[in-house]
Amino acid sequence: MAHLYVVGAGGHAKVVADAALLMGLWDQITLIDRCTEAYQVGPWAVVPEPDDLNDLKVQGTDFIVGMGDNALRVMLQKRFAAQGFHAVTVIHPTSVVSHHTKVAEGCFIAAQAVVQIDAKLGAGCIVNTAAVVEHDCVLQEGVQLAPGAILGGGVSVGGATLIGLQASVRMGCRLGRDVIVGMGAAVVKNIPDHSRVVGVPAKPL
């Protein structure tokens, strides 16, 4: 029986687990949380994270981190992988992902998202519901596109950057590491590391 661990038990973890269920690759899905006793979230059991992660290997080693915090997601993915667990990518069946993309381990591509030809997604990226990654985009590890966000062709995005709800980035722009693009913003020029930008056109907050 194939088993998948989703690390996290919040709203995003439920979305990831639901997409994984629809993929039909795992017979059982269990959520892991920093809790003191087991409980239930939707149809899934939530179990406490053990002191020794090896205790989880009895049921399998496939996992994905279902957390929206970019830095935390990347950290936990590295932690579980270092303990011998296998990071998987979950792709919702209604998404459109070109066969000519490179999607690294631990990514999540949600319902009706689009990832076009020659895009590259680093480890632990999230392309949320109905978000679009156009051709030749490069996303470093831990990048997150919120629902409805759009990257034009050839956009480069640094690690742990968040593109907010319905935000858009003009083709060819370069966004640095740990950038936050606010909801509905329109990025029309390069953005340096650690910036917070909002508005149309997007300006520093």
Side-chain angles (χ1 to χ4, degrees):
M1 176 179 290
H3 186 271
L4 174 66
Y5 290 110
V6 178
V7 183
H12 183 66
K14 291 194 295 182
V15 173
V16 172
D18 195 50
L21 184 66
L22 291 171
M23 290 177 72
L25 299 178
W26 298 278
D27 301 301
Q28 184 178 354
I29 298 172
T30 302
L31 278 56
I32 301 173
D33 191 19
R34 287 287 182 90
C35 54
T36 56
E37 58 184 33
Y39 63 99
Q40 194 85 6
V41 169
W44 300 288
V46 182
V47 299
E49 181 182 323
D51 293 331
D52 185 354
L53 292 179
N54 287 315
D55 293 345
L56 298 172
K57 292 181 180 178
V58 174
Q59 296 191 62
T61 60
D62 285 355
F63 83 99
I64 184 170
V65 182
M67 295 184 177
D69 183 304
N70 292 340
L72 179 60
R73 186 172 63 259
V74 170
M75 183 273 289
L76 287 171
Q77 180 166 322
K78 290 178 178 178
R79 178 181 170 221
F80 272 73
Q83 292 293 319
F85 288 83
H86 173 240
V88 301
T89 289
V90 171
I91 301 176
H92 195 284
T94 66
S95 65
V96 178
V97 180
S98 169
H99 291 298
H100 302 285
T101 63
K102 292 183 179 179
V103 180
E105 65 278 2
C107 289
F108 172 59
I109 300 175
Q112 299 184 354
V114 177
V115 182
Q116 295 284 21
I117 186 170
D118 288 334
K120 297 179 177 66
L121 275 61
C125 286
I126 296 172
V127 182
N128 251 309
T129 307
V132 176
V133 178
E134 270 296 345
H135 63 87
D136 301 295
C137 288
V138 177
L139 281 60
Q140 302 298 329
E141 69 174 5
V143 169
Q144 179 176 176
L145 272 66
I150 299 175
L151 304 183
V155 169
S156 174
V157 185
T161 285
L162 170 64
I163 313 296
L165 285 160
Q166 299 288 331
S168 58
V169 182
R170 189 177 69 180
M171 56 187 178
C173 285
R174 302 180 65 85
L175 280 65
R177 180 174 182 81
D178 187 34
V179 169
I180 294 178
V181 177
M183 179 175 64
V187 176
V188 297
K189 61 182 181 181
N190 296 344
I191 305 295
D193 293 350
H194 311 296
S195 298
R196 307 293 183 262
V197 297
V198 296
V200 181
K203 296 180 180 178
L205 182 65

